[in-house]
Amino acid sequence: MTTRTITDPSNDSSSSPLFTNHSLHLPSSRPSSSPTSKAYKQASTLFLTRRLQEAHSILVSLITTSTSDDNPPSPAPVTTAPTRLRIKIWSLYITLLDEIIKLGALEGKSLFGSSLWRSIQTQARDGSIWDQVVAQGYAGDEAAVDAVVIAGLVSLLLAHAPEPRGCQERLERWLAASGGREEGNVRVRVLELYALHVLPRNGEWEFAEEVVLGSAELDEEQREGLLGTLRELREEERGAEGVEEGKEEKEDEEKVKETRAAEETERTPSRARSTSEVDYGIETPLKPAHNVPKATAPLKPAIKPSPTPNTKLSSPRSTSRKLPAPAGSVHRAAGAVGSMRRYIQLLAQSLSTSPMALLRTLLFVLGLVLTMSRRDVRERIQRMTALSWNKLRGTVGMGVKVSYM
């Protein structure tokens, strides 16, 4: 479709940015020097120089009914203006509203005041600007509204209204009421907005094709161009939806992975703790048992006599009295102290790594104390100790006799 740009016949560059992609030529008329025309030109100049507040004040005076206490209300100047001037006034006013809203809340409220700026924004968001134009500019006759003004209103509502359904209903009402009163590019432009922007915005793609195919205002070339553009827009819409769905699916998969990883992380430390407790519980009690034989190892050199051929009989007797008792007592005491020290060290290590070792140690000590507290057990231990000591002395005596012989 050919790209066109709307222009003002008076070569005024204040054309609305709402129509930057299309051109609509207003009907020509002889220049007018009426007060209404002068006020419009002044407002147009102020708009071009970005003096939006002053331009807004002038345009409001042109579209508002004047009232006074002495005289009856007089109609708004725009209602008595020629068709060309009327269209230019409303087009400039609609464009001005769009620019004011685009200023944003901070700059807009600073320039126009909070109440006025919010009122202007509300007009575009709820569609009340449409009703204002019909009531103040066309005496309530919606069918009489010029197609150029309708195109500007549709563009304004599509840009700022959050719900496009109201725009569709108003435009369909105007299309039904106006019939084929206006012909040419002006009505084609309105049909383009309706088929390419309003209906697709509400998801009515099939009905938009029916409107293009059944429109009597379109020739064959225009109809094919609109259908092609409509299909391209629909493909773009589907592509955008597919990309969005792909992003959502990817986000869902990432959330599932993160959830599983978090659950796995929570389970892993508990398994490690249980494994460490079992390992220490089995290994810790075995270590002191391996250290017991080391304490008795020094006894072996004490019971081995050195053979001396020329030793007298009194020498073996003195040897038999001095070797066993002192050497055995010292080594046993040293071995017991060393075993106790090592056991205490192992116990401290076990307590730092596994609390269960403390419980098992306490139970072992408690059992040992209870066992030693019984009299019959103590007597039995004493008898076994005396018997072992006697056997040891007999063995040493035999060794001395053999070495003497």
Side-chain angles (χ1 to χ4, degrees):
M1 184 178 298
T2 305
T3 302
R4 300 182 293 273
T5 304
I6 187 169
T7 58
D8 193 301
S10 62
N11 295 326
D12 187 359
S13 60
S14 63
S15 59
S16 170
L18 298 174
F19 306 103
T20 53
N21 294 328
H22 299 274
S23 68
L24 297 175
H25 295 283
L26 303 178
S28 61
S29 63
R30 296 177 62 183
S32 175
S33 59
S34 65
T36 302
S37 176
K38 292 180 180 179
Y40 164 76
K41 290 180 179 180
Q42 183 181 4
S44 177
T45 302
L46 292 171
F47 174 79
L48 289 174
T49 56
R50 300 298 295 175
R51 297 163 66 179
L52 303 183
Q53 186 180 16
E54 300 175 47
H56 180 265
S57 299
I58 295 175
L59 289 174
V60 168
S61 66
L62 295 178
I63 64 176
T64 305
T65 302
S66 61
T67 58
S68 63
D69 297 336
D70 300 333
N71 300 322
S74 59
V78 70
T79 59
T80 59
T83 301
R84 175 176 174 272
L85 181 59
R86 180 181 68 232
I87 293 174
K88 292 171 68 174
I89 291 174
W90 282 118
S91 297
L92 179 60
Y93 180 69
I94 294 170
T95 303
L96 178 64
L97 295 185
D98 178 67
E99 290 296 322
I100 293 173
I101 296 173
K102 288 180 179 178
L103 291 176
L106 184 62
E107 187 177 357
K109 292 179 180 179
S110 174
L111 187 61
F112 291 90
S114 177
S115 178
L116 180 56
W117 186 86
R118 190 179 295 109
S119 175
I120 294 173
Q121 185 189 41
T122 302
Q123 284 182 304
R125 289 179 64 85
D126 62 9
S128 59
I129 179 62
W130 187 295
D131 303 327
Q132 179 189 6
V133 171
V134 174
Q136 298 181 3
Y138 298 88
D141 184 8
E142 191 170 47
V145 181
D146 299 287
V148 177
V149 177
I150 291 295
L153 290 171
V154 171
S155 299
L156 181 66
L157 297 184
L158 288 176
H160 301 288
E163 176 52 55
R165 185 66 62 180
C167 177
Q168 178 180 342
E169 293 174 356
R170 290 181 171 90
L171 180 55
E172 289 175 348
R173 190 169 61 237
W174 179 85
L175 288 171
S178 63
R181 182 173 56 85
E182 296 195 47
E183 299 178 355
N185 292 335
V186 177
R187 192 168 180 85
V188 170
R189 165 60 179 154
V190 175
L191 287 174
E192 287 180 3
L193 287 172
Y194 181 56
L196 298 181
H197 300 283
V198 177
L199 292 176
R201 184 79 69 87
N202 293 317
E204 300 186 17
W205 295 93
E206 290 78 9
F207 183 60
E209 291 186 2
E210 294 178 4
V211 170
V212 174
L213 292 172
S215 176
E217 288 85 359
L218 301 174
D219 56 28
E220 192 63 28
E221 182 180 356
Q222 292 172 333
R223 187 175 291 107
E224 291 179 359
L226 288 178
L227 288 175
T229 304
L230 186 63
R231 291 176 184 132
E232 290 177 1
L233 291 174
R234 191 168 190 181
E235 291 297 326
E236 293 177 1
E237 180 73 15
R238 289 174 178 173
E241 291 177 355
V243 172
E244 187 65 25
E245 291 177 358
K247 290 182 179 178
E248 292 178 357
E249 292 179 358
K250 187 175 181 180
E251 291 177 357
D252 294 339
E253 291 178 358
E254 291 179 355
K255 289 180 180 178
V256 171
K257 291 180 180 179
E258 291 177 357
T259 303
R260 291 177 178 175
E263 294 176 353
E264 185 66 21
T265 303
E266 292 177 357
R267 289 195 298 266
T268 302
S270 60
R271 289 200 300 266
R273 286 194 298 269
S274 60
T275 304
S276 63
E277 290 176 359
V278 172
D279 293 343
Y280 281 113
I282 294 175
E283 294 178 0
T284 301
L286 298 178
K287 292 181 179 180
H290 293 292
N291 297 328
V292 175
K294 294 181 181 179
T296 58
L299 294 176
K300 294 180 180 180
I303 61 176
K304 289 184 179 180
S306 299
T308 52
N310 299 323
T311 305
K312 295 182 179 180
L313 184 59
S314 58
S315 297
R317 290 198 187 104
S318 61
T319 304
S320 64
R321 286 195 301 267
K322 293 178 181 180
L323 288 178
S329 300
V330 172
H331 287 298
R332 280 196 298 271
V337 172
S339 299
M340 184 61 68
R341 185 185 298 109
R342 285 189 293 271
Y343 185 78
I344 291 174
Q345 293 176 353
L346 293 174
L347 178 61
Q349 294 177 359
S350 299
L351 290 177
S352 62
T353 55
S354 177
M356 292 298 296
L358 176 60
L359 179 59
R360 288 193 293 270
T361 302
L362 292 177
L363 292 177
F364 173 75
V365 173
L366 180 60
L368 182 61
V369 171
L370 291 176
T371 302
M372 296 301 295
S373 63
R374 294 177 58 181
R375 183 175 180 181
D376 56 341
V377 174
R378 290 199 305 271
E379 292 178 353
R380 183 179 301 174
I381 293 175
Q382 290 176 357
R383 288 195 300 268
M384 293 179 63
T385 303
L387 181 60
S388 299
W389 184 247
N390 291 334
K391 289 184 177 180
L392 179 61
R393 288 196 298 177
T395 302
V396 173
M398 290 296 295
V400 172
K401 291 180 181 180
V402 170
S403 60
Y404 177 76
M405 295 175 62

